[in-house]
Amino acid sequence: MRGTILFVLCLGIQIAGDATAATIFTRETADGSSNDVGQGVRLAIDADGTPSLVYLDYSTGYTNYATKRGGVWTIELIDSGSAFSTIYNGIAVDAKGEPHVSHMVSNGDFLQYARKSSGSWQLEVIADPLWGVGFSNSLALFPDGSPCVSYGTNWRDFEGETHTNLAFAWKPQGIWESEIVIAGMMTP
């Protein structure tokens, strides 16, 4: 199956003499490869209005990063060693315009953090390997630029019932810390 990443740009334009604003939508192809791309896509816009996307390339099993600079979309592989990634991704862009990405890696069941600095991706494990760590994750940056991630974890009790935790991780002084926000919710 062939997928395509489409980026939709919304511009608000004031119509002369009219107090109402018109909205124009522009569709562009960010990744027009023949691969099955676009699952788990997340969007961030930096302070200059530059769009950045993170998404799963299902054909390769890797998480990709795309950004549009100078009118051209550039696509990068974040981590060639972490296939098979999943559709669970998060993205934020810091004040310097550098991307920060969180994504669940299913071949090790861990949550990974990737930060691009000086042109290369720096990779870290956020949460220790557990069954189902990192689904539905969301990444944000504190005002000082340090990352934080909310995410889900699954675990099975002795009766085989699946439970879900809502967790939160942050990196206040260079070391990841985490806590369970809501523990043991039963999933059907």
Side-chain angles (χ1 to χ4, degrees), residues 132-153:
V133 169
F135 70 89
S136 299
N137 69 76
S138 181
L139 174 73
L141 300 175
F142 286 108
D144 69 358
S146 62
C148 59
V149 182
S150 63
Y151 59 97
T153 66

Side-chain angles (χ1 to χ4, degrees), residues 54-182:
V54 62
Y55 58 94
L56 173 65
D57 181 337
Y58 195 79
S59 297
T60 65
Y62 295 119
T63 300
N64 286 351
Y65 168 76
T67 189
K68 184 179 180 185
R69 296 198 186 277
V72 177
W73 284 98
T74 304
I75 300 164
E76 300 176 33
L77 178 65
I78 293 174
D79 177 15
S80 62
S82 290
F84 193 80
S85 294
T86 68
I87 61 171
Y88 302 116
N89 301 307
I91 187 170
V93 179
D94 64 25
K96 297 176 193 171
E98 299 287 352
H100 299 250
V101 171
S102 59
H103 67 111
M104 179 183 175
V105 180
S106 66
N107 69 344
D109 279 338
F110 62 91
L111 182 59
Q112 182 169 296
Y113 167 73
R115 176 180 59 90
K116 189 169 183 186
S117 178
S118 301
S120 64
W121 290 97
Q122 311 300 315
L123 308 170
E124 302 174 27
V125 174
I126 297 172
D128 289 331
L130 277 172
W131 177 68
V133 169
F135 70 89
S136 299
N137 69 76
S138 181
L139 174 73
L141 300 175
F142 286 108
D144 69 358
S146 62
C148 59
V149 182
S150 63
Y151 59 97
T153 66
N154 284 331
W155 56 278
R156 289 197 175 110
D157 62 21
F158 293 112
E159 287 80 39
E161 298 290 331
T162 301
H163 300 266
T164 301
N165 294 331
L166 173 61
F168 180 75
W170 66 102
K171 191 177 177 184
Q173 296 176 339
I175 298 172
W176 283 102
E177 299 181 28
S178 63
E179 65 182 40
I180 302 297
V181 178
I182 301 173

